[in-house]
Amino acid sequence: MTNSLTLRRPDDWHLHLRDGEMLAAVAAYSGHFGRAIIMPNLVPPVVTGAQAAAYRDRILAALPPEVTLRPLMTIYLTETTDPADLIAAHRDGIISAVKLYPAGATTNSASGVRDFDKVRPVLEAMAEAGIPLCTHGEVTDPAVDIFDREAVFIDKVLDPIRRATPGLRVVMEHITTSDGVDYVSANQNIGATITTHHLVINRNHILVGGIKPHYYCLPVAKRESHRLALRRAATSGDQRFFLGTDSAPHPDRAKESACGCAGCFTAPNTMSILAQVFEEDGALDRLEGFTSLNGPAFYGLPANEDMIRLVKRDTPATYPTHIPAGDETVTVFDPGFPLYWHVEDPA
Ligand SMILES: [Zn+2]
């Protein structure tokens, strides 16, 4: 039985760090990661290269000196994005990707795209410059059931975009369905991030025995067969699938409300949870690919040089159940089982 594992330092290819007091409270909790793709859905959103550079500087200022996390910035695609600004920001090393939110899909996505024809010139320029497009893969048509929004997005938005701009490299972010797994598996020039929590919970965790707001996120967790498809994809060794935690802190007050916010805060305990998930599926030897190798390969970056060590002990690792954030608290994702894998960092 394997009781310890040394891996290249993992990266998080989808992370929300927020801003201000919340940024200061949560940033250090991503300290196990070497790099993270930082989501631009602030209020107001990060829509220019200059704003991305300023946000990167705020993140770096919020990180304690012992945390070496390198933020990889993104720009929020709108119908008025200037292709020249975006290309320059990429050329100057300010941004690593561009994020597409269908208007209204999730937290702070009101500025997202309604008419995809309007962004076609930007997508063409991105394809030419080799800038990946990260997509929030849900349609927002009120007529489409929330549990079907990812599958409909593939047919109505994603596949048409990829056909119209075949050179564009696309990441389907936080896939939650077997439809997402199947689409990515059948295509090239596409990758997919999978979150920690979608490997652990299905929709029963949110809805059975009383509503559990801390398990509510978008895209919402689906039925068990979809969770199992995600587990198979994550543990398959297929390079197109890699970790993006989508760790998304909200104040507890905003989660535990009549209209609770979407997002799970998984940054602190993600590596312990993933070690357990991969062990259960007999795939510990593929954990490093999922957390540390496949993502850099997709983004055309080297893997991190340094290592972390995971050690399985008889007593569970302890993580806080809540962390303070200014006058608020943020609940850390509870996987519902004890975490025997401890992270030793540095290895
Ligand atoms: Zn997200």
Side-chain angles (χ1 to χ4, degrees):
M1 202 173 86
T2 310
N3 283 319
S4 83
L5 201 61
T6 303
L7 335 165
R8 297 277 193 147
R9 182 177 294 284
D11 298 303
D12 185 347
W13 298 97
H14 184 127
L15 176 63
H16 298 268
L17 287 179
R18 314 302 190 197
D19 212 346
E21 269 186 348
M22 185 62 88
L23 169 63
V26 302
Y29 286 98
S30 289
H32 296 319
F33 296 96
R35 295 163 290 199
I37 285 277
I38 308 297
M39 288 298 123
N41 57 333
L42 306 181
V43 185
V46 176
V47 295
T48 67
Q51 289 168 354
Y55 184 31
R56 179 191 58 196
D57 292 345
R58 296 199 297 282
I59 293 169
L60 291 172
L63 289 169
E66 68 276 13
V67 171
T68 55
L69 179 76
R70 203 146 59 77
L72 304 179
M73 307 310 292
T74 59
I75 281 179
Y76 186 121
L77 183 64
T78 72
E79 292 178 3
T80 58
T81 298
D82 171 11
D85 175 64
L86 194 148
I87 300 299
H90 184 256
R91 184 196 59 219
D92 297 343
I94 295 166
I95 63 158
S96 299
V98 172
K99 181 66 188 272
L100 166 69
Y101 290 98
T106 189
T107 305
N108 306 334
S109 63
S111 316
V113 176
R114 282 181 179 76
D115 178 356
F116 290 91
D117 286 335
K118 290 201 176 139
V119 295
R120 186 136 302 140
V122 181
L123 300 180
E124 292 290 343
M126 287 170 56
E128 196 154 307
I131 308 172
L133 178 72
C134 299
T135 59
H136 181 105
E138 290 188 289
V139 292
T140 53
D141 178 351
V144 178
D145 188 275
I146 190 167
F147 291 103
D148 298 333
R149 289 180 173 195
E150 182 170 300
V152 174
F153 176 84
I154 293 170
D155 287 345
K156 294 274 168 62
V157 180
L158 182 60
D159 198 57
I161 283 178
R162 293 187 59 254
R163 284 179 194 281
T165 313
L168 186 65
R169 293 175 65 68
V170 176
V171 186
M172 202 178 166
E173 299 285 356
H174 44 50
I175 54 171
T176 58
T177 60
S178 58
D179 310 78
V181 171
D182 292 346
Y183 184 78
V184 172
S185 300
N187 285 286
Q188 300 299 327
N189 249 359
I190 187 165
T193 55
I194 302 178
T195 76
T196 308
H197 52 283
H198 286 116
L199 296 173
V200 174
I201 62 166
N202 63 35
R203 62 196 195 182
N204 281 9
H205 289 81
I206 310 168
L207 296 170
V208 173
I211 193 159
K212 314 292 193 312
H214 295 290
Y215 290 144
Y216 174 63
C217 65
L218 285 173
V220 70
K222 309 296 193 296
R223 63 171 64 242
E224 177 66 358
S225 57
H226 292 297
R227 184 185 74 96
L228 294 176
L230 299 176
R231 293 271 288 230
R232 285 192 295 275
T235 59
S236 66
D238 186 324
Q239 286 205 321
R240 286 169 284 204
F241 298 103
F242 41 91
L243 174 64
T245 65
D246 197 16
S247 181
H250 288 283
D252 286 333
R253 198 175 39 81
K255 293 283 292 175
E256 298 166 6
S257 118
C259 183
C261 292
C264 298
F265 180 49
T266 53
N269 52 5
T270 272
M271 291 308 295
S272 292
I273 297 171
L274 290 176
Q276 170 132 351
V277 164
F278 276 65
E279 182 184 38
E280 281 171 9
D281 290 1
L284 272 178
D285 57 328
R286 292 176 178 170
L287 179 60
E288 184 182 44
F290 181 67
T291 62
S292 315
L293 304 177
N294 300 348
F298 183 89
Y299 276 87
L301 298 168
N304 292 312
E305 291 287 326
D306 59 335
M307 319 290 279
I308 65 164
R309 190 154 175 262
L310 297 165
V311 181
K312 190 176 186 187
R313 300 193 195 284
D314 294 336
T315 49
T318 50
Y319 290 98
T321 56
H322 303 78
I323 64 154
D327 295 337
E328 312 272 3
T329 57
V330 177
T331 294
V332 176
F333 177 72
D334 173 7
F337 45 77
L339 298 171
Y340 293 105
W341 285 92
H342 297 238
V343 181
E344 291 187 355
D345 177 10

